[in-house]
Amino acid sequence: MEYFGNQISALIEELSSLPGIGNKSAQRLAFHIINMPSEKVEKLAKTLVEARTKVRYCKECQTITDEELCPICANEQRNHQTIMVVENSRDLAAYEKTGAYQGVYHVLQGAISPSLGIGPADIKLKELMVRLQGDVNELIIATNSSLEGETTAMYISKLVKPTGIKITRIASGVPVGGDLEYIDEVTLLRALEGRIEL
Ligand code: ZN
């Protein structure tokens, strides 16, 4: 890529390190950016930096947000006694899109994976256990049906069982190995409605 010059090559390299951006797309984006009015490029750069610095985890559910409490946790109309455990904020967004879930969430920000060296202490489990000391009726475990998701579900259910809180797992309508965010809303709703008690 030397023929592009160092600056452009560096830009292409940075862009192609993003997920889903191959070398061709990176080149296309790079040349697009170079031809943009400079104030637009500055706005884009500023937005990137601000998003990175201002975004944090919700104090309550650990989802990504820019306030102390995310809009869902801050909403008093939601049922705060039902907590749905999901792996990441994209899964939360998938359930929110169905519009049918009235409870709140807990976002683990990952899943237990012995093969990747990710243990229970590496995800937001401690934070969940603290929340369960409050007034909670039901814990819905909606981790993915991948090996990691199932391992995490099993670990949580063993951990929470002694508290006596009702624990349910979403139905297996969700295909094995399926990433929750790619599953259509009807399947998600069925999985939620058909949840079974653990
Ligand atoms: Zn929250």
Side-chain angles (χ1 to χ4, degrees):
M1 275 195 291
E2 291 306 314
Y3 42 86
F4 285 142
N6 285 338
Q7 280 304 325
I8 299 174
S9 297
L11 179 58
I12 293 171
E13 203 181 308
E14 288 298 330
L15 289 169
S16 61
S17 71
L18 298 170
I21 310 280
N23 200 261
K24 262 194 182 158
S25 305
Q27 280 189 27
R28 206 157 39 90
L29 285 171
F31 284 107
H32 180 81
I33 290 168
I34 288 160
N35 287 307
M36 274 161 68
S38 49
E39 62 276 13
K40 280 219 162 180
V41 178
E42 266 159 40
K43 196 176 164 222
L44 173 64
K46 200 171 146 234
T47 309
L48 285 173
V49 173
E50 277 184 1
R52 181 61 188 90
T53 41
K54 285 189 183 159
V55 165
R56 49 171 156 174
Y57 295 130
C58 167
K59 188 177 82 169
E60 195 78 8
C61 74
Q62 310 297 321
T63 194
I64 290 166
T65 184
D66 46 16
E67 301 287 335
E68 194 173 13
L69 270 184
C70 75
I72 297 170
C73 290
N75 184 348
E76 284 173 20
Q77 306 301 316
R78 306 283 298 224
N79 171 5
H80 288 254
Q81 293 175 315
T82 302
I83 299 178
M84 186 196 289
V85 179
V86 292
E87 291 182 22
N88 54 52
S89 297
R90 294 188 310 263
D91 294 341
L92 176 154
Y95 273 103
E96 277 304 287
K97 243 169 73 189
T98 69
Y101 178 64
Q102 291 305 311
V104 292
Y105 297 88
H106 188 85
V107 182
L108 294 171
Q109 299 296 351
I112 297 171
S113 171
S115 64
L116 292 174
I118 301 168
D122 301 315
I123 58 176
K124 306 280 186 190
L125 254 186
K126 239 186 10 257
E127 292 81 354
L128 175 65
M129 295 314 286
V130 171
R131 288 180 78 189
L132 294 183
Q133 286 167 13
D135 187 14
V136 179
N137 283 342
E138 183 180 354
L139 188 69
I140 304 170
I141 306 179
T143 50
N144 294 343
S145 51
S146 60
L147 178 62
E148 291 79 15
E150 291 299 344
T151 308
T152 308
M154 233 153 36
Y155 188 89
I156 294 175
S157 103
K158 270 193 199 146
L159 201 64
V160 176
K161 202 113 217 186
T163 65
I165 294 168
K166 180 180 176 190
I167 311 163
T168 54
R169 174 87 173 108
I170 52 165
S172 52
V174 179
V176 170
D179 229 331
L180 276 188
E181 59 172 319
Y182 297 118
I183 294 161
D184 69 87
E185 290 163 36
V186 177
T187 312
L188 271 187
L189 273 182
R190 269 197 213 124
L192 182 58
E193 278 161 11
R195 64 187 185 270
I196 41 162
E197 196 161 344
L198 293 178

